[in-house]
Amino acid sequence: MTELWYYKQYNKLINKAIKRNPSEIENLPTEKHHILPRCMGGKDEESNYVLLTFREHIIAHMLLHRIHPESNELSYALLRMIQ
């Protein structure tokens, strides 16, 4: 049940970023994020990338970790981001 809430929050974050006007974040540090992580079968294709602010990127990885707590790859990615 809790994982579903995290999943919904992740989708909201990604959809907001996809629909956002790039000028809204032009003065903020940004990073490309795989919508579907590579460790889960996501491809290195433009359709699988979204531009997130640095803060959003950390939140996205925190949510992914909560959705898939069994994934060592996602845990490692989050750990590297917050160190």
Side-chain angles (χ1 to χ4, degrees):
M1 184 81 162
T2 305
E3 291 165 355
L4 179 60
W5 184 86
Y6 290 118
Y7 179 78
K8 287 180 181 180
Q9 297 309 307
Y10 180 77
N11 282 335
K12 283 183 190 178
L13 176 69
I14 297 303
N15 287 328
K16 176 185 169 192
I18 289 170
K19 295 174 184 175
R20 171 174 43 221
N21 184 331
S23 66
E24 293 177 37
I25 57 171
E26 66 185 355
N27 294 322
L28 298 173
T30 58
E31 298 178 340
K32 282 174 90 173
H33 172 71
H34 286 91
I35 298 168
L36 178 62
R38 287 186 298 184
C39 66
M40 303 188 81
K43 306 286 185 211
D44 290 330
E45 300 171 346
E46 285 304 311
S47 62
N48 191 37
Y49 286 118
V50 64
L51 193 61
L52 299 176
T53 66
F54 181 70
R55 180 177 182 271
E56 289 171 336
H57 200 193
I58 291 173
I59 291 169
H61 278 272
M62 292 173 79
L63 291 168
L64 284 169
H65 172 69
R66 293 293 188 141
I67 296 165
H68 305 284
E70 74 288 346
S71 172
N72 290 334
E73 293 92 345
L74 290 175
S75 297
Y76 180 70
L78 176 60
L79 181 63
R80 288 203 48 196
M81 291 187 82
I82 61 175
Q83 286 183 335

